[in-house]
Amino acid sequence: MKQVKVWLFQFLNYVTRKQILVILLFALVSFFIYKRVVWDSGISPLIQSDSQIKLYQTIQYKEKGIQQHECYTKNNDIDHEYRFYPFRYPWVYFLQKDSGKQCVFQYPTFFAQFFSILPLPYRLFNGVILFLYFLLTAAIVFFIRSLFGVRKVEILFLTSLLFLVGYCVSSAIEFSESIPSHIFLLIFFYGVLALESSKKISRVLEVLTGLSGAISIFLRSESAIYIGILGFLILLLNRWRMLFLIKRYSLILFGLTFAGILLGAYNLNEFGEILGVRSKVSFNDFNRLQLSDRLYFFKEFMFGNAFRTGFVSYCFPFIFFISFTIFRIKLSSLQKILLWVGVISLLLVVLLSPYSQGGLYLGLRYTEFSYVLLSIFVISVFADQDSSERRQWLLLFIVLQIGLGFYHVKRNFKTIDFVKKYHEILQSEWLKYPDAPVIHLSTFDLLLISDSFLKKPHLIANKQSEFAALESRLYNQGISKFQVFVYDFKPPKDENISNEFYEEWVNSKYEIESKFYKKTSDSNTAGYRYMLWEKK
């Protein structure tokens, strides 16, 4: 047994040599870039589900101006009142204005407005998010180096690997505001913890860290939970020095408050909600769920299901590392803050979120910043150890976590490769008739529209009476043909939607009866049914 331990430790020392870590890091970054290029090549870039809406929102601002919040549409003459607009809950929201009902996307406008001013084609947007993921990794390395004095290059490379294969990668491979939000939130944590450790930073940087905290909240509302928990722990640690505490953090609080008021006032003026439309939708969904629903989501987050992995299976080496640390290692005050914010936020975000934790194989959404904090904690503890044997056991947990991360990332990418394959097939079907609008019979069909929505009109008619009204409009507009696209099986029910919505908008396909058009083709492709209808 003793000899096995010697061999194990020798292996750990070998795989964590600087040369090996550089090769692994280079291979991993190259792999991410290669996959991004593949997914964004072909007919359309791989932009699906929620990311589609953020793309349309960005294009709306790019084409119409950053104050034009109305839902993007290719041909507003067909459906000027958005009666047949394909996207419904949870993607769009209808505001009541003096001028009438206005359709707006529910996602944070600041993200789309920023991307709208970039002089880049939208096919490169996913690449920008991946670049920001690499930037976030570099920021984490800087955080550890600056606040914990870690200088050893091998440990910093190990940090990069540990984070890059974490489940934050699920947001890094989508057109999502999550990664930018994490960058701003990490800047805020850096400013607070730098002051807490009596590290000198400039007054300008203090204000900027406060501004960054507010921006992160307006990009991802769960950032408020992380900031709130951090603030509570700082208050707890300094409960006998309140005046000193206020003075120490005055500039950060000023930046946080100033930006919060400024961005909140903008949202209130434009949408009637301080945190934007998303907060209203989320609050309504939160009130709709019972405690049993939240506990069910919590169980799924922790243990996964038949389609998605869970936190325990993804991070059990982290769990062992943290458990060992709590009982066997004396922690610094900064390490305690990182640990408890990471753990408490992980639990609170899952329990308070009204939604399940994402789709595809790799869910675990909304808690990615907890992984950021726990990664920093783990590396800081490992770097502090003087005992050679204890250090080796901690290194074992870290290497296991990296290996497990590689495994899960590979499985997730395999799922996305599968999606990309059928994404291309579906896009090619729509390109066959570029002038023909597409009619959907169910919102389930909308997940893979991608940039086809920017090229031709897509509309929805979820029952025969709606189709009759829609085809009259198409006929009067002189449209000679249209396509019908529908999933050919019973759609699975999303845990986030009500039974009523599922029956009305998801499980809503039917056989069309047309007054003005006749069906000229009817085919099946990749589980979807395509029909072409032309004027009689």
Side-chain angles (χ1 to χ4, degrees):
M1 189 67 181
K2 187 175 181 181
Q3 186 60 44
V4 172
K5 187 172 75 170
V6 171
W7 289 339
L8 176 62
F9 288 172
Q10 287 176 344
F11 172 75
L12 290 174
N13 291 331
Y14 176 77
V15 297
T16 54
R17 291 165 59 205
K18 182 169 68 174
Q19 296 89 334
I20 300 296
L21 292 175
V22 167
I23 292 170
L24 289 175
L25 195 55
F26 177 78
L28 182 63
V29 170
S30 300
F31 178 62
F32 284 168
I33 294 172
Y34 167 73
K35 283 296 183 182
R36 185 72 276 163
V37 171
V38 169
W39 293 334
D40 289 341
S41 300
I43 297 172
S44 297
L46 184 58
I47 296 179
Q48 56 172 331
S49 191
D50 295 2
S51 296
Q52 297 174 151
I53 307 305
K54 297 163 190 175
L55 173 63
Y56 311 149
Q57 195 175 21
T58 302
I59 299 304
Q60 172 74 4
Y61 288 132
K62 186 181 283 287
E63 293 183 357
K64 303 291 178 63
I66 60 172
Q67 287 299 102
Q68 299 301 314
H69 308 301
E70 195 166 30
C71 296
Y72 178 88
T73 181
K74 186 63 180 173
N75 187 345
N76 211 37
D77 293 335
I78 298 174
D79 184 31
H80 59 87
E81 82 277 35
Y82 293 90
R83 176 179 172 181
F84 304 105
Y85 198 67
F87 301 104
R88 301 283 161 161
Y89 172 91
W91 294 301
V92 302
Y93 191 79
F94 290 96
L95 295 176
Q96 295 299 326
K97 297 277 189 176
D98 293 338
S99 56
K101 190 167 65 171
Q102 182 187 13
C103 173
V104 296
F105 294 124
Q106 69 134 317
Y107 293 103
T109 60
F110 303 116
F111 173 75
Q113 287 166 327
F114 171 77
F115 268 84
S116 73
I117 61 176
L118 291 181
L120 294 172
Y122 64 78
R123 193 177 279 266
L124 299 180
F125 286 173
N126 285 325
V128 174
I129 299 298
L130 182 60
F131 169 76
L132 292 177
Y133 187 56
F134 296 149
L135 183 63
L136 175 59
T137 306
I140 291 169
V141 170
F142 174 81
F143 190 108
I144 291 172
R145 191 176 187 278
S146 177
L147 291 188
F148 293 97
V150 178
R151 294 289 190 271
K152 197 171 182 181
V153 173
E154 289 86 347
I155 297 178
L156 299 178
F157 284 156
L158 203 63
T159 303
S160 301
L161 281 173
L162 180 64
F163 177 70
L164 283 172
V165 297
Y167 60 82
C168 305
V169 74
S170 61
S171 293
I173 54 178
E174 289 190 349
F175 184 53
S176 166
E177 74 283 355
S178 294
I179 298 301
S181 176
H182 297 340
I183 292 174
F184 285 115
L185 190 54
L186 187 65
I187 293 171
F188 178 83
F189 267 70
Y190 175 81
V192 172
L193 296 182
L195 292 182
E196 189 62 23
S197 60
S198 300
K199 182 180 178 66
K200 288 186 178 181
I201 60 174
S202 71
R203 297 169 71 84
V204 172
L205 184 57
E206 288 183 43
V207 175
L208 289 177
T209 57
L211 293 172
S212 296
I215 293 170
S216 73
I217 292 174
F218 284 90
L219 288 175
R220 298 291 305 185
S221 56
E222 63 265 20
S223 296
I225 297 176
Y226 290 97
I227 291 174
I229 296 171
L230 176 64
F232 175 76
L233 289 178
I234 296 293
L235 280 172
L236 200 62
L237 289 171
N238 298 276
R239 56 190 178 278
W240 309 118
R241 303 187 300 168
M242 292 303 294
L243 289 177
F244 169 77
L245 190 67
I246 293 171
K247 183 179 179 182
R248 172 188 273 179
Y249 292 105
S250 58
L251 291 178
I252 290 181
L253 289 172
F254 170 76
L256 182 68
T257 305
F258 175 77
I261 291 173
L262 192 67
L263 298 176
Y266 176 84
N267 276 338
L268 188 64
N269 180 65
E270 298 295 316
F271 308 107
E273 299 291 334
I274 291 175
L275 289 176
V277 173
R278 185 187 185 97
S279 66
K280 189 175 184 67
V281 175
S282 297
F283 184 73
N284 291 339
D285 289 335
F286 180 85
N287 288 332
R288 177 174 57 83
L289 291 181
Q290 303 297 317
L291 178 61
S292 58
D293 297 317
R294 295 196 188 101
L295 292 176
Y296 173 75
F297 286 160
F298 182 80
K299 179 180 75 70
E300 281 215 324
F301 173 84
M302 285 297 174
F303 303 105
N305 56 33
F307 308 103
R308 294 196 295 268
T309 188
F311 179 80
V312 171
S313 62
Y314 202 108
C315 292
F316 73 81
F318 261 13
I319 296 171
F320 285 133
F321 186 108
I322 291 167
S323 301
F324 178 84
T325 298
I326 291 173
F327 293 108
R328 299 293 299 272
I329 297 175
K330 186 177 180 180
L331 302 175
S332 69
S333 61
L334 282 192
Q335 288 169 338
K336 288 177 182 176
I337 291 172
L338 284 171
L339 174 61
W340 292 117
V341 175
V343 172
I344 295 170
S345 63
L346 185 79
L347 301 176
L348 270 185
V349 170
V350 178
L351 286 172
L352 293 176
S353 172
Y355 307 112
S356 65
Q357 307 303 311
L360 298 181
Y361 169 76
L362 192 58
L364 303 176
R365 293 303 177 83
Y366 318 124
T367 63
E368 291 108 325
F369 197 73
S370 300
Y371 188 92
V372 172
L373 297 177
L374 294 177
S375 297
I376 294 171
F377 168 78
V378 163
I379 294 296
S380 71
V381 171
F382 169 70
D384 271 354
Q385 297 312 299
D386 296 324
S387 167
S388 176
E389 183 164 345
R390 179 181 291 176
R391 187 182 178 88
Q392 292 292 334
W393 285 114
L394 293 180
L395 180 60
L396 174 62
F397 292 135
I398 294 173
V399 170
L400 281 175
Q401 185 60 62
I402 291 172
L404 202 61
F406 270 116
Y407 167 77
H408 287 299
V409 167
K410 185 178 177 182
R411 285 199 62 181
N412 193 51
F413 281 20
K414 186 177 180 180
T415 303
I416 298 171
D417 285 337
F418 178 82
V419 173
K420 172 63 177 178
K421 175 184 175 182
Y422 288 100
H423 173 268
E424 289 292 286
I425 294 172
L426 303 182
Q427 299 301 315
S428 65
E429 290 288 339
W430 289 321
L431 279 180
K432 287 179 181 177
Y433 306 98
D435 298 325
V438 181
I439 297 178
H440 300 263
L441 309 184
S442 160
T443 57
F444 182 77
D445 307 332
L446 307 177
L447 298 174
L448 292 172
I449 289 180
S450 190
D451 68 344
S452 176
F453 194 67
L454 305 177
K455 301 170 182 174
K456 61 192 295 187
H458 285 252
L459 305 148
I460 192 168
N462 63 327
K463 51 192 172 185
Q464 176 60 40
S465 59
E466 288 295 284
F467 173 80
L470 177 55
E471 76 158 339
S472 295
R473 294 192 185 189
L474 297 178
Y475 184 81
N476 292 333
Q477 287 270 335
I479 293 173
S480 61
K481 56 181 173 287
F482 60 82
Q483 292 175 286
V484 174
F485 173 68
V486 64
Y487 184 60
D488 208 23
F489 304 97
K490 183 174 181 178
K493 184 181 179 299
D494 190 326
E495 296 163 339
N496 296 317
I497 63 174
S498 65
N499 291 328
E500 294 77 17
F501 185 88
Y502 175 77
E503 293 300 333
E504 182 179 3
W505 289 102
V506 183
N507 189 28
S508 53
K509 64 180 179 180
Y510 55 91
E511 289 298 325
I512 289 173
E513 297 175 8
S514 178
K515 181 178 179 182
F516 303 108
Y517 297 84
K518 61 181 178 181
K519 183 166 57 177
T520 58
S521 70
D522 190 343
S523 61
N524 242 290
T525 306
Y528 288 91
R529 187 179 174 192
Y530 287 88
M531 292 170 270
L532 180 67
W533 293 71
E534 299 187 52
K535 271 186 180 180
K536 291 180 178 178

